[in-house]
Amino acid sequence: MTTGVRRRMGVEERRQQLIGVALELFSHRSPDDVSIDEIAAAAGISRPLVYHYFPGKLSLYEAALRRAADELALRFVEPREGPLGARLLRVMGRFFDFVDDHGPGFSALMRGGPAVGSSRTNAMIGEVRQAAYEQILTHLGLGLEHIPARMELVVRSWVSLAESTALIWLEGRRIPRGELELQLVHDFAALAAVSAAYDVEMAGILVRILADEPADGPFGELVGRLVSLVPGEAPTEAPTEVAGEVAGEVAGEVAAGMAVGAPAEVAQQR
């Protein structure tokens, strides 16, 4: 990064500039490897002036982390329009945009970086996870009160899975990013489907989700992929047509299971 040009700024403007500069540097290198001297040079000011606005590197790091956390939380905001699978895929696209653009900074945010163990850092990480959790509930058409226990487990597990998947992906990027985004959407569907097999309320939610999903959407594609794995079940029809038929059958069987008392009874009849 080239050395910044010094100009006079107000107190808050200078603070925001330093946060932005630090976040940019942290996006390309671990915060542990970035010195106050580098931050000062990039901002076009002296080292002592940095300390005038922030008492130390840790406080500047936490301020940069705050901005990153706020931006990351916004990546999960999506209008509640269209099928759930397509919405989740767009969310994953924006989530991985952030991960891709701020690799070391994202790792530092999720793992604590220089402030590991800090109560403020832990609180920020918790806020990002909670914001993602609440946004997914919004996509599901659920309020924050009286959330089914298994649904909370599904959503929180999925948010943690997306986080850990991104961290592992950053270490070598061995899987194409687009495939990983789609796989995470499929992971959500799989978690919800397994829970639906154990719980009537979850089964009802799954039926509602599948009813709005097109055969050529992410969830329909997952069904097509699973069908192709069954021995002797290689489809002769177009994959999307098969996926639509199977998804419809699944929804019908789950609904039938609800009618007799529990999804497990469907499994006993098959």
Side-chain angles (χ1 to χ4, degrees):
M1 180 177 291
T2 57
T3 302
V5 178
R6 179 177 299 200
R7 69 181 182 85
R8 295 186 65 84
M9 295 183 183
V11 173
E12 186 57 29
E13 184 182 7
R14 180 66 77 185
R15 279 180 56 84
Q16 293 304 315
Q17 182 217 20
L18 287 170
I19 292 171
V21 166
L23 188 57
E24 175 66 19
L25 291 170
F26 296 158
S27 295
H28 300 287
R29 290 158 54 204
S30 168
D32 287 317
D33 298 331
V34 177
S35 69
I36 287 293
D37 287 333
E38 289 178 273
I39 295 171
I45 62 176
S46 65
R47 175 190 174 97
L49 195 54
V50 175
Y51 286 110
H52 174 74
Y53 294 99
F54 295 94
K57 179 180 173 180
L58 181 58
S59 63
L60 177 53
Y61 168 76
E62 288 180 342
L65 208 61
R66 173 76 273 168
R67 182 182 291 184
D70 291 343
E71 181 181 343
L72 180 56
L74 288 174
R75 301 300 174 103
F76 285 87
V77 176
E78 170 74 19
R80 193 182 162 193
E81 300 172 356
L84 177 63
R87 278 181 271 155
L88 291 181
L89 189 57
R90 289 193 293 270
V91 167
M92 285 295 95
R94 289 195 300 273
F95 173 69
F96 272 89
D97 281 343
F98 182 93
V99 172
D100 222 355
D101 293 341
H102 304 282
F106 173 78
S107 295
L109 172 62
M110 292 296 117
R111 290 173 171 155
V116 63
S118 161
S119 59
R120 286 189 294 272
T121 301
N122 291 340
M124 281 186 269
I125 295 171
E127 288 171 15
V128 172
R129 291 169 178 157
Q130 181 64 22
Y133 168 73
E134 292 179 5
Q135 282 298 320
I136 300 306
L137 291 180
T138 298
H139 293 308
L140 293 168
L142 301 173
L144 297 180
E145 298 180 357
H146 311 301
I147 303 300
R150 290 185 187 275
M151 179 54 75
E152 180 175 2
L153 182 62
V154 165
V155 177
R156 291 197 186 279
S157 296
W158 184 71
V159 170
S160 295
L161 177 62
E163 173 190 321
S164 58
T165 297
L167 288 170
I168 295 170
W169 178 75
L170 281 171
E171 294 175 0
R173 305 179 190 235
R174 294 180 295 171
I175 299 175
R177 176 184 144 177
E179 289 183 16
L180 211 54
E181 292 169 7
L182 180 59
Q183 181 178 315
L184 281 165
V185 176
H186 289 170
D187 287 334
F188 181 88
L191 287 168
V194 170
S195 287
Y198 287 87
D199 183 83
V200 172
E201 191 171 13
M202 283 295 297
I205 295 172
L206 180 61
V207 168
R208 176 166 54 81
I209 291 172
L210 290 176
D212 294 331
E213 290 296 321
D216 60 351
F219 292 169
E221 180 181 345
L222 172 61
V223 173
R225 287 175 180 269
L226 293 175
V227 168
S228 69
L229 296 177
V230 179
E233 294 291 336
T236 56
E237 304 172 73
T240 55
E241 293 176 1
V242 174
E245 292 176 4
V246 174
E249 291 177 4
V250 170
E253 290 197 356
V254 172
M258 292 173 61
V260 297
E265 297 190 19
V266 176
Q268 293 173 356
Q269 295 170 1
R270 286 175 63 87

